[in-house]
Amino acid sequence: MLRTIDLRGRVLSPAEFLAAVPRAEGARDEALSVASEIVADVAERGEAALREQATAFDGVSDHDLRVPASHLVEALGQLAPDVRAALEEAVARVRRASAAQVPAPVVTELAPGARVAQRWQPVRRVGVYVPGGKAVYPSSVVMNVVPAQVAGVSQVALTSPPQREFGGRVHPTILAAAHLLGVTEVYALGGAGAIGALAHGVSAIGLEPVDVVTGPGNNFVAAAKRVVAGRVGTDSEAGATEILVVADASADARLVAADLVSQAEHDEQASAVLVTDSPELALAVSAAVDVRAAATRHSERVAAALTGPQSAIVLVDDIAAATAFSNAYAPEHLELQLENARPEEFVHAGAIFVGPHTPVSLGDYLAGSNHVLPTGGQARFQPGLSAATFLRPQQVIEYDRAALATVRDGIVALAEAEALPAHGEAVVARFEA
C-alpha cells in the first residue's frame, strides 16, 4: 500500500532532500485558491455567505449560527462520564504544561535611572477553530482554549462545523468540552468560511472580529489562515496531519505500522511516512500496514491517505541520512523509534515523540503537550500552539533626566548621520533652559 522511495547510495544536499520529500503540493495550491474565494465571500456578504456554505459543504440549513447557551448546558449534562473524566485530565495536564510557557516579566537596569522592562501582554480576543468533519475533536477544544486562558485572554469565540446528524448543531461532545472550559461564545461555522468569519466579523450574528485565529483543520482551513494573516494573527498552518517515523532495525514493525495508520485515519490527505536504514524493517512495516489498514474502521480513508503522493517508506543508507531527511521534511509529528535516539539532532519538527511507548496518539490527548502543530514543512520556522501564541512581548522604557543626559550626544550624532535632525532636537529640547 505504501510506495517506497529509495535514496540509498546517494549523497544529497538539503535542497535535494527537500525535493525528495513526499508531499501533495497540488492539493495545497488548490486549497489556497478555493479558500481565498470563500473568505472573500464571507467578508462581503456575511451571514448569507455562511448559510450558503453550510448548505453546500455541511448539508444543513436554517440552523442556529450562534449556539444557544441551552445547547452547551444540555451537551455537558449528557456527556459520558468516562469522556468527561478524560477531558478533565487533559485540561489539567495541558494547563500545567501551558503555565510553564508564560515568560516572567524582566526589568533591565542599563544605568542609574535607565530602565527597560519586558512584559508579556495577552491579546484581547481569540477565535478558535475546532474541526468536525470526518471526526470529532473535543481534544482540540482543550488544546486551543486552555493555553489562551493561561495566557490571560479575556474573550474566546469558538467555531466548529454544524452537523447534519444533529440537525445543524455543533457536535455535542465539542459543545460539552467548550462548556466545561467556560466558553460561552460558540458558532456553528465550518471550514474556510469560519476562519473568514472570525477574522472579518459577522455583525448579523453578533460575531466581532478577533485578534488571533488558532486551531487545526484540513488544507482549506490552513489555507484560509494564510488568506487572513495580516488582518489577524494566526498560529501555524495546522492542515492535514503528518507523521514521520524514523526507525532502525531495533523498532517493532507492528508499532510503527499502528502509528502510521493512526494518523492516516484523520483524512485522505494525511501524510504517513517511514524513513529507515533497515530494508527488513521496511518490508515488515509495509506488510503490517496492509493488514492493519484493511482491518481498521476507516479503512477506505486510510487507504486513500497511504496510497497518496504524500505517504511513503523512504530507504536511506544510515541514521545520519534519516536525520537529514527528517530535518528537510520538518514534520508535524516526528517519532523516533531508534536504539540510540538523539532528539537534539532533529531540529525541525512540530513535536518529537521519543521511544516505543510515546506514540503520537499520546500527544493527541493526554501527554500534556499541545497537538496543534505546524504542517507542510512550516516546522522549520513556526512553533506549535502554546500560551506564547496569545502573548505579545512589549517593552516599557523609562529614563530620568540624568540617564537621558548620558546618551544625549550619541542620539544627536546618530540622528545627524541618518539625516533626521529633528530626532536629536527632540532630545536636546529637554535640556534647554
Side-chain angles (χ1 to χ4, degrees), residues 24-33 219 223 226 237 375-376 378:
E25 296 292 351
R28 291 173 60 84
D29 294 342
E30 178 189 0
L32 182 59
S33 175
N219 285 342
R226 186 176 299 184
E237 293 180 17
T375 61
Q378 292 201 18

Side-chain angles (χ1 to χ4, degrees), residues 151-163:
V153 172
S154 59
Q155 296 181 24
V156 175
L158 186 150
T159 72
S160 191
Q163 303 292 309

Side-chain angles (χ1 to χ4, degrees), residues 55-67:
T55 300
F57 301 136
D58 304 305
V60 300
S61 58
D62 299 324
H63 60 296
D64 293 309
L65 294 184
R66 179 154 183 168
V67 175

Side-chain angles (χ1 to χ4, degrees), residues 253-265:
R254 296 176 306 106
L255 300 184
V256 174
D259 293 350
L260 293 173
V261 170
S262 75
Q263 295 305 297
E265 78 171 337

Side-chain angles (χ1 to χ4, degrees), residues 2 34 60 161 165 170 230 236 256 285 348 377 422 432:
L2 280 165
V34 173
V60 300
E165 179 184 356
V170 171
S236 61
V256 174
V285 168
H348 298 318
E432 294 174 345

